[in-house]
Amino acid sequence: TQLLEQSPQFLSIQEGENLTVYCNSSSVFSSLQWYRQEPGEGPVLLVTVVTGGEVKKLKRLTFQFGDARKDSSLHITAAQPGDTGLYLCAGQGGSNYKLTFGKGTLLTVNP
Amino acid sequence: NAGVTQTPKFQVLKTGQSMTLQCAQDMNHNSMYWYRQDPGMGLRLIYYSASEGTTDKGEVPNGYNVSRLNKREFSLRLESAAPSQTSVYFCASSSNGGQTEAFFGQGTRLTVV
């Protein structure tokens, strides 16, 4: 079983602060995805990283895939209240296309 | 632009009752998934189907059965509901291959009393 550990589990910050959340595993993934989920909704994809060492930017969000493709990080610059939500990482590995999720980081950005 | 449609959105069952959660996607995806989400537990995979006619167990399959009726539909059945199955259930679909994006339904909030 491929496990993804996310940290921290909860994060409460003030508007304008920077933050980083982590997604770690002992397994190698062919790709790793980050989703954001808002209350009462299903998760929505933010980004997919595929290549070890890859960095992708989405406005104020920066995603990095570890060199060994076992871990990833999400950095948010100058957080806004609209960034509030549950951030989930998901890994896909092997030939069966199974998508495994971490437990998520619940982010609250206070105005 | 329906995407992934789940029914029902809410359901209350008594212990021992059975029910089927329905899921349909209109994106011609090969893979479909059923997850349950509990507080502090993230999304846990119950069953998935990589193609029509195939199903495989995920992390927490006990107490559930699935049926991939055709390429569009993937149903989840609880034969004898238990309070431990109180949860929010999400269906998702994706195309096969690398870098695939999973599209989720809006969820079914199930309470077993």
Side-chain angles (χ1 to χ4, degrees):
Chain A
T1 302
Q2 296 175 308
L3 295 176
L4 285 163
E5 301 286 340
Q6 287 190 245
S7 62
Q9 189 175 358
F10 301 97
L11 188 56
S12 181
I13 61 171
Q14 295 299 122
E15 183 176 359
E17 292 183 359
N18 301 332
L19 67 114
T20 303
V21 299
Y22 300 93
C23 176
N24 297 301
S25 175
S26 58
S27 302
V28 175
F29 291 96
S30 57
S31 68
L32 199 140
Q33 302 173 349
W34 285 92
Y35 291 78
R36 187 171 81 191
Q37 183 180 20
E38 298 188 13
E41 303 288 331
V44 176
L45 181 72
L46 293 172
V47 77
T48 301
V49 285
V50 178
T51 306
E54 182 176 4
V55 177
K56 282 192 174 179
K57 292 192 175 184
L58 187 65
K59 296 183 180 179
R60 294 176 293 99
L61 279 60
T62 302
F63 304 86
Q64 185 160 9
F65 202 13
D67 290 341
R69 291 187 290 135
K70 292 183 179 180
D71 54 83
S72 181
S73 63
L74 159 58
H75 181 80
I76 301 179
T77 304
Q80 305 293 314
D83 296 327
T84 293
L86 179 66
Y87 289 82
L88 295 154
C89 66
Q92 191 168 45
S95 60
N96 59 15
Y97 310 113
K98 185 169 67 173
L99 198 58
T100 302
F101 281 82
K103 293 183 179 181
T105 293
L106 186 60
L107 172 66
T108 302
V109 182
N110 303 297
Chain B
N1 191 16
V4 179
T5 303
Q6 286 182 239
T7 56
K9 286 187 169 57
F10 300 94
Q11 184 71 51
V12 178
L13 290 178
K14 294 183 179 179
T15 298
Q17 286 186 318
S18 63
M19 78 161 295
T20 300
L21 280 64
Q22 307 287 352
C23 176
Q25 52 91 10
D26 62 2
M27 295 172 283
N28 202 36
H29 285 163
N30 287 311
S31 290
M32 296 187 73
Y33 311 81
W34 276 106
Y35 293 91
R36 60 177 289 173
Q37 187 172 37
D38 302 293
M41 299 297 289
L43 287 163
R44 292 186 292 170
L45 184 64
I46 305 171
Y47 271 93
Y48 70 106
S49 169
S51 62
E52 182 180 351
T54 68
T55 61
D56 288 286
K57 294 179 180 179
E59 184 185 352
V60 288
N62 291 344
Y64 305 95
N65 286 303
V66 290
S67 178
R68 184 73 182 267
L69 303 168
N70 47 55
K71 193 171 186 179
R72 289 187 65 248
E73 298 172 291
F74 189 37
S75 62
L76 178 72
R77 182 160 178 85
L78 286 70
E79 290 290 351
S80 180
S84 61
Q85 293 178 305
T86 293
S87 188
V88 181
Y89 291 84
F90 285 99
C91 176
S93 72
S94 68
S95 60
N96 288 357
Q99 307 181 49
T100 60
E101 175 180 358
F103 292 83
F104 285 80
Q106 290 211 307
T108 296
R109 187 173 294 276
L110 175 66
T111 303
V112 183
V113 298

